[in-house]
Amino acid sequence: MNTAIPRWCVLIPCLNEEAAIHSVVESVLALGAPVIVIDDGSDDRTAEIVATLPVTLLSHERRCGKGEALRHGFREAMKLGYDAVLTMDGDGQHLAEDIPRIVAAAAQYPRHIVIGARLLDKDQQPKGRRRANAVADWGISWACAQPVADTQSGQRWYPRAALELVDLPAENFVFEAAILIAASREKKLGVVSVPIASRYHGSFRPSHLKPVHDVTRITTYTIGRVVHYGNIVASYRRSRKAPTLFEGSSTR
């Protein structure tokens, strides 16, 4: 079903991204999209660079984690009258050129979260990261009671119903999993994935995710949600279906 695209903006949480943030933001602005950048207490020139660009800049005096950065951005977007946001990281791994297809998918699937899923060129992914992502997809899909491709991608379209979950009690990288689960279970939103390329080679800075600490927290949270919502077997069966993929033409 096609419908009008709601008023939306691009949300970019960042921490110490002085090497890439200017080109990332400029590439989004070139599409004509409004941008909100949340600087999570960077101690490099990130905030200084962003301040020279025609965007809304939100700055944290200290590092609060990605969850709080997204939460701050969601609140600001809703305050400014936006009904959806498209999130992307500031290190250059997400490309503005993928945005039109994500927006097109959002137009076709209005009550869905849309994920830019790194399903293309998967041989670019380090084997350890690929295995960890596969385990996360398995568990979070179960908690969502629907299949989700690339649950760890930070390039996502969140409709208004998902933004309203801003006060979920989850922090750091757990927040992104919590949004997927609560949106699926409590808001009855679907999830559709737009295949994008895996980008791991090049000059990207190391991930801020702490493999043991953060993955353990995400896993613990996810298990708790599976138990909380019950119907464990039925939820598992629904999660084993093929994920919904969108490969339509862009809106550009």
Side-chain angles (χ1 to χ4, degrees):
M1 183 180 90
N2 289 295
T3 188
I5 298 173
R7 187 166 181 256
W8 61 281
C9 67
V10 173
L11 205 65
I12 306 176
C14 58
L15 170 63
N16 292 339
E17 303 291 8
E18 65 178 4
I21 193 64
H22 191 279
S23 61
V24 169
V25 174
E26 277 204 327
S27 67
V28 177
L29 292 172
L31 297 177
V35 179
I36 299 174
V37 177
I38 309 94
D39 174 53
D40 189 33
S42 295
D43 51 24
D44 65 359
R45 297 179 57 249
T46 296
E48 179 184 340
I49 292 168
V50 174
T52 67
L53 298 167
V55 304
T56 299
L57 172 61
L58 309 176
S59 295
H60 295 169
E61 291 185 4
R62 59 180 180 81
R63 296 179 188 179
C64 301
K66 190 175 185 182
E68 188 58 32
L70 288 171
R71 189 176 282 118
H72 193 177
F74 284 7
R75 289 183 178 133
E76 183 69 13
M78 288 189 287
K79 185 177 78 173
L80 294 175
Y82 294 107
D83 292 311
V85 303
L86 193 155
T87 62
M88 59 189 291
D89 294 341
D91 63 355
Q93 292 196 49
H94 299 146
L95 299 184
E97 66 188 46
D98 291 322
I99 289 176
R101 285 195 302 129
I102 293 173
V103 175
Q108 184 166 328
Y109 296 91
R111 283 195 53 81
H112 286 66
I113 291 174
V114 182
I115 296 178
R118 298 160 295 182
L119 302 176
L120 308 178
D121 303 323
K122 292 190 75 170
D123 58 333
Q124 297 282 324
Q125 296 182 1
K127 290 183 180 179
R129 178 64 63 84
R130 194 185 311 168
R131 286 193 293 268
N133 287 350
V135 171
D137 289 354
W138 175 79
I140 293 174
S141 293
W142 190 355
C144 291
Q146 65 174 319
V148 182
D150 200 358
T151 59
Q152 302 306 293
S153 174
Q155 191 169 32
R156 304 179 181 183
W157 171 279
Y158 292 106
R160 179 79 185 203
L163 300 183
E164 292 170 354
L165 296 166
V166 64
D167 293 319
L168 279 173
E171 303 301 330
N172 298 307
F173 291 96
V174 178
F175 184 76
E176 291 176 295
I179 286 282
L180 281 175
I181 296 167
S184 299
R185 293 288 201 150
E186 298 173 21
K187 296 288 189 173
K188 307 303 181 185
L189 297 184
V191 180
V192 60
S193 294
V194 174
I196 64 172
S198 299
R199 304 179 186 98
Y200 284 88
H201 296 318
S203 58
F204 304 129
R205 55 109 180 108
S207 173
H208 293 305
L209 184 139
K210 300 174 183 176
V212 176
H213 178 76
D214 289 321
V215 171
T216 298
R217 292 183 67 183
I218 292 169
T219 301
T220 301
Y221 181 88
T222 301
I223 292 171
R225 293 291 88 188
V226 170
V227 174
H228 171 78
Y229 289 113
N231 297 319
I232 293 173
V233 174
S235 297
Y236 181 76
R237 287 174 177 166
R238 289 197 294 270
S239 74
R240 296 306 92 197
K241 297 178 181 178
T244 301
L245 301 181
F246 176 85
E247 304 196 47
S249 60
S250 78
T251 59
R252 293 180 70 179

